[in-house]
Amino acid sequence: MKNYPTIEDTIGMTPLVRLQRLPEQYQVGRGNVILAKLEGNNPAGSVKDRAASSMIRMAEARGLIKPGDTLIEATSGNTGIALAMIAAVRGYKMILIMPDNLSVERRASMTAYGAQLILTPADAGGMEYARDLALSMQAEGKGLVLDQFANEDNPLAHIQGTGPELWEQTEGQITHFVSAMGTTGTIMGVGNYLRAKNPDIQIIGAQPAEGAQIPGIRKWPEEYLPKIYDPSKVDALEAITQDEAENMARELAAKEGIFAGISSAGALVAALRVAQRVENATIAFIVCDRGDRYLSTGVFN
């Protein structure tokens, strides 16, 4: 009998596409190419599918969890959706804790996969409060926190998957890697892999400018910095304003046909800045999810 793939088997091997119109509009340097890694093509719609599968599979392999157990995670959206999908496939109960100011599409996606959703008041501390609540519930014996912020199986997914894909898809020509920074798993994992192949590759992170509230891009207080994050492995940080990210999300859809989320657009803002400063570079950035996850925010109206 033919061995057909499962939904988990379709995670990864996402397309890498060249931008055509925006580089000219933003007058990038001579000989530069900007490439978009379309992570919204993953089955649950984001780059976080990779980390979710890795964290659950590796916890199973270590004997920490088994089907029927309850998992808990604080999330701003994409990781929660991805974990809910993997939990549904592999037979786990999933409790997700999320600030109540995030889009209704994200909430609906999580519950569609069967997850229990706990909404916390955004004005009570946002993601920091949600993270503390998850750990408190674990201490009370209500389930296991996978903890994407400290779990090395998060960047491992990108060391084993995203990084090698980018290297192969560019035939080793990549010179700059640009990513939004939330849990930092993507930038840490991809950066570690690419640097092992070529130490000269530049790793660029997109962070929110003062006052910006961009889903998926965070600047954590010192006490909440993800334990997987090593600042020495990021060459430069680009501060992205709310207006820049939202305007670029609209431009990316209208001029490149790539309907992506706001943090993806923030990463593109950073990539274009890099491309204006260098020449003969191959710059790849992560399109971490799809724009339909943000329709209720009014960004695309």
Side-chain angles (χ1 to χ4, degrees), residues 149-177:
F149 306 96
N151 192 327
E152 291 295 339
D153 297 327
N154 177 352
L156 178 66
H158 304 289
I159 293 171
Q160 295 180 338
T162 324
E165 289 172 30
L166 281 166
W167 183 257
E168 292 165 12
Q169 288 169 317
T170 62
E171 297 181 343
Q173 298 303 303
I174 184 171
T175 59
H176 298 75
F177 173 69

Side-chain angles (χ1 to χ4, degrees), residues 181 184 187-188 192 195 203-205 207 222 225-237:
M181 293 173 59
T184 72
I187 198 167
M188 288 291 98
N192 284 343
R195 279 282 180 69
I203 309 301
I204 316 295
Q207 283 196 328
E222 189 70 30
L225 267 178
K227 292 181 181 178
I228 58 176
Y229 178 55
D230 181 351
S232 70
K233 295 183 177 180
V234 178
D235 295 291
L237 297 173

Side-chain angles (χ1 to χ4, degrees), residues 33-300:
V33 60
I34 300 179
L35 303 171
K37 183 79 163 142
L38 303 183
E39 291 296 299
N41 284 37
N42 283 307
S46 84
V47 68
K48 299 298 187 178
D49 289 19
R50 298 177 185 263
S53 179
S54 176
M55 289 190 294
I56 289 179
R57 283 176 174 269
M58 294 302 292
E60 282 180 350
R62 296 186 186 101
L64 299 176
I65 57 173
K66 63 184 184 304
D69 288 348
T70 298
L71 307 177
I72 305 170
E73 192 71 11
T75 176
S76 63
N78 283 334
T79 300
I81 295 167
L83 284 171
M85 179 194 74
I86 302 298
V89 171
R90 303 186 76 81
Y92 292 91
K93 300 171 186 175
M94 190 76 234
I95 300 173
L96 297 168
I97 306 170
M98 187 173 91
D100 62 7
N101 63 339
L102 296 169
S103 72
V104 295
E105 292 90 350
R106 294 185 183 202
R107 301 183 203 177
S109 296
M110 294 175 197
T111 55
Y113 286 120
Q116 176 188 343
L117 185 57
I118 298 175
L119 295 178
T120 61
D123 58 8
M127 274 299 296
E128 290 85 350
Y129 180 88
R131 288 170 64 180
D132 289 343
L133 179 57
L135 293 174
S136 174
M137 290 177 66
Q138 177 177 248
E140 295 168 7
K142 295 180 178 178
L144 175 75
V145 174
L146 292 165
D147 196 358
Q148 58 182 318
F149 306 96
N151 192 327
E152 291 295 339
D153 297 327
N154 177 352
L156 178 66
H158 304 289
I159 293 171
Q160 295 180 338
T162 324
E165 289 172 30
L166 281 166
W167 183 257
E168 292 165 12
Q169 288 169 317
T170 62
E171 297 181 343
Q173 298 303 303
I174 184 171
T175 59
H176 298 75
F177 173 69
V178 183
S179 176
M181 293 173 59
T183 68
T184 72
T186 303
I187 198 167
M188 288 291 98
V190 174
N192 284 343
Y193 179 85
L194 292 178
R195 279 282 180 69
K197 302 296 285 188
N198 178 1
D200 293 329
I201 292 175
Q202 297 291 291
I203 309 301
I204 316 295
Q207 283 196 328
E210 191 68 34
Q213 297 288 328
I214 304 169
I217 304 183
R218 290 298 308 263
K219 189 173 184 180
W220 297 100
E222 189 70 30
E223 62 271 26
Y224 286 94
L225 267 178
K227 292 181 181 178
I228 58 176
Y229 178 55
D230 181 351
S232 70
K233 295 183 177 180
V234 178
D235 295 291
L237 297 173
E238 295 286 342
I240 313 298
T241 69
Q242 192 81 30
D243 284 347
E244 284 177 316
E246 293 182 359
N247 289 336
M248 188 59 72
R250 291 186 286 268
E251 285 201 287
L252 186 57
K255 296 181 178 176
E256 296 287 350
I258 299 174
F259 188 30
I262 308 166
S263 60
S264 306
L268 175 54
V269 171
L272 286 166
R273 289 181 190 169
V274 172
Q276 289 167 340
R277 301 194 293 258
V278 299
E279 293 184 344
N280 300 315
T282 299
I283 303 162
F285 74 100
I286 294 289
V287 178
C288 56
D289 61 6
R290 299 190 300 253
D292 52 11
R293 206 156 273 182
Y294 303 86
L295 289 174
S296 66
T297 68
V299 168
F300 296 101

